Amino acid sequence: MKKNLEFLRQNLIAHRGMHNIKEGIPENSLKAFEKAIENNYVIELDVHVLKDDSVVVFHDDNLNRMTGVNKKIKDVKYNEIKNLKLQNTNNHIPLLKDVLNIVNGKVPIIIELKYDVKYGTLENKTMEILMRYKGQYAIKSFNPLSVYWLKKKYPKVIRGQLASSFKNDRMNIIKKFFLKNMICNYITKPDFISYDINGLPNKKIENYRKNNLVLGWTIRNKLDLEKARKYCDNFICENLDEIDYKNK
């Protein structure tokens, strides 16, 4: 099935929104997404499913770094966390549906499915919400099972495989081999790869890119950008206020 991925190439991608804590704008906050929209950046964000099946936009599997509350996000209900402040600002953890209402198709969205609950749960709850959304979006995950689930259940949805060299990950050596080399791609057939620039150059990525789309993450400075330009088709970026990305 031929899909149009051009919306993933045209504009830079704001990693967890256009956030800047110096300006009181935390990552994955409504303000970060509003600022990305103002600058016409593609929005990249993360989702988790809570104990009450709410889907929230949040990166970590624990609330501690962003809110000071040491609880796993999968073990709480939305009413318990909706008033928590993100990094001591007046911003709160948003529901995915509230983010979609703000974006409303103004810019594309790339959604990363986290994987701290039973496989299929977050995928299903996220798609229930997205089926009512009219804007452009793509979904990605480190978990090949998530990518495969999308292939089987929603084949028209643009799906991406996240990957890296996993050098510092303390995972089973066999699992690391499969994920690092994206062995499951032969079955899951992702529409694009989102790869850690710290693992580049990589011959597998170079070969994949000859006929497919590669997004590099995470670009935080000019050196990262120069490296990513050699190996990637577009860039997932931070510090968008501070770096000259104009000559993409």
Side-chain angles (χ1 to χ4, degrees):
M1 182 186 298
K2 187 70 174 177
K3 300 176 185 176
N4 187 354
L5 307 185
E6 282 306 304
F7 72 91
L8 296 177
R9 298 176 183 267
Q10 292 174 348
N11 296 319
L12 290 169
I13 303 163
H15 185 235
R16 305 178 197 170
M18 196 173 174
H19 57 93
N20 186 335
I21 197 59
K22 294 177 184 176
E23 296 180 2
I25 305 176
E27 65 183 54
N28 278 328
S29 66
L30 293 182
K31 278 192 176 180
F33 302 138
E34 288 168 350
K35 192 171 181 183
I37 293 167
E38 289 170 9
N39 288 274
N40 201 33
Y41 293 129
V42 178
I43 290 171
E44 190 263 3
L45 56 81
D46 312 274
V47 292
H48 285 269
V49 65
L50 306 184
K51 192 175 180 180
D52 60 2
D53 288 337
S54 298
V55 179
V56 294
V57 178
F58 195 80
H59 177 268
D60 300 356
D61 60 4
N62 192 295
L63 294 161
N64 193 42
R65 178 178 68 92
M66 292 298 294
T67 71
V69 175
N70 187 19
K71 288 185 178 180
K72 291 185 177 180
I73 196 163
K74 68 182 179 67
D75 294 332
V76 299
K77 298 179 180 179
Y78 189 63
N79 279 340
E80 298 175 51
I81 65 168
K82 66 180 183 180
N83 294 320
L84 293 178
K85 293 185 175 183
L86 292 171
Q87 293 183 300
N88 296 314
T89 68
N90 289 322
N91 297 272
H92 306 282
I93 300 170
L95 291 164
L96 175 60
K97 64 180 183 180
D98 292 336
V99 173
L100 297 180
N101 285 337
I102 284 175
V103 179
N104 194 28
K106 297 181 185 78
V107 297
I109 302 174
I110 303 173
I111 298 168
E112 179 179 342
L113 299 172
K114 308 309 283 188
Y115 48 98
D116 54 352
V117 295
K118 185 179 177 181
Y119 152 70
T121 303
L122 173 60
E123 293 84 353
N124 187 54
K125 293 300 177 183
T126 299
M127 285 309 305
E128 284 179 2
I129 296 167
L130 286 170
M131 291 308 292
R132 299 188 291 273
Y133 183 65
K134 303 302 182 184
Q136 290 178 308
Y137 67 89
I139 302 179
K140 64 179 180 176
S141 179
F142 277 105
N143 188 350
L145 289 174
S146 293
V147 182
Y148 184 70
W149 188 95
L150 287 168
K151 176 177 178 262
K152 298 298 287 184
K153 300 282 188 179
Y154 295 91
K156 293 182 180 180
V157 170
I158 294 170
R159 59 189 182 273
Q161 180 64 58
L162 270 159
S164 78
S165 61
F166 299 101
K167 287 181 181 178
N168 299 317
D169 269 277
R170 298 179 181 178
M171 66 173 69
N172 177 286
I173 191 169
I174 297 174
K175 182 178 179 181
K176 183 181 287 191
F177 174 81
F178 268 79
L179 294 179
K180 176 182 176 180
N181 293 286
M182 297 168 287
I183 302 298
C184 296
N185 284 8
Y186 296 105
I187 299 170
T188 60
K189 304 291 184 184
D191 300 303
F192 67 94
I193 297 295
S194 186
Y195 204 83
D196 180 2
I197 62 164
N198 293 313
L200 298 173
N202 179 307
K203 282 294 183 184
K204 288 186 179 295
I205 291 298
E206 290 177 38
N207 289 332
Y208 180 88
R209 191 187 174 205
K210 291 175 183 176
N211 298 300
N212 299 280
L213 178 70
V214 174
L215 306 179
W217 57 273
T218 301
I219 286 76
R220 295 184 170 92
N221 53 55
K222 290 183 179 180
L223 287 176
D224 288 346
L225 181 60
E226 290 307 311
K227 182 178 184 178
R229 279 180 172 146
K230 297 176 184 177
Y231 306 109
C232 306
D233 299 294
N234 202 356
F235 321 115
I236 300 172
C237 308
E238 293 192 352
N239 304 323
L240 284 154
D241 282 324
E242 302 171 17
I243 302 171
D244 179 13
Y245 289 93
K246 292 179 182 177
N247 299 315
K248 182 172 82 73

